[in-house]
Amino acid sequence: MTANLLGTSVGDILGEVFDAEPDELFVVNPSADAIESVVDAATEFDGALPETRLLADDRLLKDVMGDFLVASNTADLIESGALALRTSDDLSRSSLLVTDDRVVALVTAGEQTAGLVTDDETFVPAARDAVEADWAAAEEYTLRTPAISRVRQTLDDEIGADVEADFTDVLASLETARGDGDGLDEVTVSLLVAAKNRVLLYDISKWGEDVGIASKATFSRTKTKLEDVGLIDTEKVPIDVGRPRLRLKLADDRLQDAPPSELASVAQTVLS
């Protein structure tokens, strides 16, 4: 890997770094795309991951983690001990990957990224000392998004396997999950698949609050929004004591048997 990695993607470069089996990896001052590539590459890698320490600009990292798809996979990596995040408002270094025995500078030109590599016995230790100092001075980043594995497991256990399967399939059909017009957010996805499977609002919102997706109040507000635009509807279900519960259902019966990708597409079109 001492040869430069030219005309490739950040994901490909990271794959080669992982294949070299370093014990530790520093990812310093990555771009937004590089942060996503780190998460994707680490999530998909089949071998033993190095202890990866990602040091990024604070505002940039917050923006990237606003995508549930990225953040929930990041949370999985953090919970497994494979990834740690810290931030700094004063990062003047180039985008770097640093291991015990090499430094890779990430240089992007158009749609291509080159990994410019050195294993110089003098430069590498000096670079590592510098990034270790940066890491020690940086602020820990607290990610509040729950790990996707825990989200799926609890959804399966507490709500049902069909709901978990639909939830997973809808997420897989999205390029981003921000709820800003480019993709449905995690609360909207939860409510849509709950409506598809006629789950009680109480049950899905309690699950969502318990697992850390959002509060019951957020689920209730989002439910009202989806009702107002005609995506879902509710029916009252009497209970022995107290007010009736609300069962969610899709407002358009034609969507009931639609594949998850079509359900997501219709919802995005209506909400945009």
Side-chain angles (χ1 to χ4, degrees):
M1 226 201 54
T2 54
N4 291 332
L5 307 175
L6 298 172
T8 185
S9 69
V10 176
D12 291 334
I13 295 169
L14 284 163
E16 294 204 34
V17 172
F18 292 158
D19 284 339
E21 299 183 344
D23 292 327
E24 292 182 323
L25 168 64
F26 284 92
V27 182
V28 182
N29 198 21
S31 65
D33 287 342
I35 294 171
E36 292 188 24
S37 293
V38 169
V39 175
D40 290 343
T43 298
E44 295 169 6
F45 189 67
D46 202 25
L49 288 168
E51 183 180 333
T52 302
R53 300 174 183 178
L54 190 149
L55 176 58
D57 176 80
D58 182 62
R59 286 173 293 181
L60 179 69
L61 187 59
K62 286 180 180 177
D63 182 65
V64 173
M65 293 302 151
D67 183 345
F68 179 77
L69 299 179
V70 179
S72 59
N73 280 310
T74 300
D76 254 344
L77 294 168
I78 292 172
E79 288 193 3
S80 71
L83 179 64
L85 304 178
R86 290 191 183 182
T87 63
S88 173
D89 293 327
D90 185 26
L91 283 173
S92 57
R93 301 191 186 280
S94 302
S95 296
L96 300 173
L97 307 177
V98 182
T99 68
D100 287 335
D101 59 1
R102 66 204 67 193
V103 176
V104 183
L106 300 177
V107 181
T108 300
E111 297 182 355
Q112 292 186 320
T113 298
L116 307 182
V117 184
T118 180
D119 58 1
D120 182 85
E121 294 180 357
T122 301
F123 181 80
V124 172
R128 185 174 175 83
D129 287 345
V131 298
E132 285 180 343
D134 288 346
W135 180 262
E139 296 288 332
E140 290 190 16
Y141 182 83
T142 300
L143 182 63
R144 293 181 172 83
T145 305
I148 190 61
S149 59
R150 181 153 44 90
V151 170
R152 289 172 175 159
Q153 186 61 57
T154 56
L155 189 55
D156 188 326
D157 292 343
E158 298 174 23
I159 306 298
D162 289 344
V163 181
E164 187 278 326
D166 286 340
F167 180 86
T168 297
D169 288 345
V170 170
L171 288 183
S173 74
L174 301 176
E175 293 185 2
T176 183
R178 291 179 175 273
D180 59 0
D182 290 329
L184 308 176
D185 67 18
E186 56 272 32
V187 178
T188 299
V189 172
S190 301
L191 288 168
L192 285 172
V193 299
K196 184 175 186 295
N197 291 276
R198 301 180 66 83
V199 174
L200 295 179
L201 173 63
Y202 175 86
D203 291 341
I204 196 69
S205 60
K206 182 179 185 304
W207 162 79
E209 186 169 74
D210 289 347
V211 80
I213 283 182
S215 67
K216 290 180 181 177
T218 298
F219 271 83
S220 180
R221 288 194 298 270
T222 306
K223 182 271 297 181
T224 300
K225 177 182 177 181
L226 295 178
E227 277 187 304
D228 289 344
V229 298
L231 280 171
I232 67 173
D233 202 351
T234 60
E235 61 184 25
K236 293 181 179 180
V237 178
I239 57 176
D240 292 337
V241 180
R243 297 172 59 188
R245 298 271 166 86
L246 295 177
R247 186 180 303 282
L248 299 168
K249 60 181 182 178
L250 294 173
D252 189 334
D253 290 340
R254 292 173 297 178
L255 292 176
Q256 187 65 44
D257 296 322
S261 59
E262 184 177 330
L263 180 60
S265 176
V266 169
Q268 288 184 85
T269 300
V270 170
L271 291 169
S272 63

